[in-house]
């Protein structure tokens, strides 16, 4: 089982169509992910299949944020497969709970996503990988 945390600090310029101007704000995103490798114990090995669960919470802040500090919560369940040593495909079910800009209306979105990830272009199809690995 592979546990990973990711923290993102974003500077955002959002277009507000009602006043036809851009609004500047910042957002903090915190993600926790669990991956379970189904065949073997090395996530970065070619022909690896895996399952994943992910939860990401995003919080808005800044002088323009008055009512909607909570931005969204994204949860997904996924199944994936690594191929060509440095690429993987992932099918996931995503559930997003998001606040609107007024701070008291919320949307819940859900559906399936198919994603292609290329971890390093120079390693695509290479039989022997370099010793450099991405950290978990």
């Amino acid at each position: 089982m592979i546990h990973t945390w990711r923290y993102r600090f974003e500077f955002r310029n959002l277009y507000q169509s009602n006043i036809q101007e851009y609004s500047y704000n910042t957002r903090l995103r915190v993600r926790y992910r669990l991956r379970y490798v189904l065949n073997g114990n090395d996530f970065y090995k070619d022909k690896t299949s895996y399952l994943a669960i992910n939860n990401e919470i995003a919080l808005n802040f800044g002088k323009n944020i008055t009512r909607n500090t909570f931005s969204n919560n994204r949860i997904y369940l996924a199944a994936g497969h690594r191929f060509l040593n440095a690429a993987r495909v992932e099918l996931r079910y995503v559930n997003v709970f998001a606040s609107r800009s007024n701070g008291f209306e919320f949307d819940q979105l859900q559906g399936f996503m198919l994603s292609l990830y290329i971890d390093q272009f120079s390693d695509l199809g290479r039989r022997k990988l370099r010793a450099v690995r991405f950290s978990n």
Side-chain angles (χ1 to χ4, degrees), residues 16 60 64-72 97-107:
Q16 296 179 319
N60 297 315
N64 296 325
I65 304 300
T66 56
R67 296 187 184 127
N68 62 332
T69 301
F70 171 79
S71 175
N72 64 63
F97 183 73
S99 78
R100 293 189 178 186
S101 60
N102 61 23
F104 58 85
E105 291 180 318
F106 298 91
D107 293 318

Side-chain angles (χ1 to χ4, degrees), residues 29-98:
R29 291 169 54 178
V30 179
R31 181 188 75 186
Y32 179 68
R33 177 172 52 200
L34 284 171
R35 282 191 196 133
Y36 179 74
V37 177
L38 296 173
N39 54 340
N41 58 3
D42 187 358
F43 175 74
Y44 295 101
K45 190 174 180 181
D46 194 28
K47 299 179 183 171
T48 298
S49 296
Y50 63 93
L51 299 174
I53 186 168
N54 180 85
N55 187 23
E56 182 175 42
I57 296 174
L59 302 172
N60 297 315
F61 56 95
K63 67 178 185 177
N64 296 325
I65 304 300
T66 56
R67 296 187 184 127
N68 62 332
T69 301
F70 171 79
S71 175
N72 64 63
N73 186 14
R74 300 175 191 171
I75 297 174
Y76 78 70
L77 301 170
H81 184 75
R82 179 173 294 280
F83 60 97
L84 296 177
N85 288 325
R88 57 193 165 93
V89 65
E90 192 173 273
L91 176 64
R92 65 180 95 147
Y93 171 76
V94 182
N95 189 325
V96 179
F97 183 73

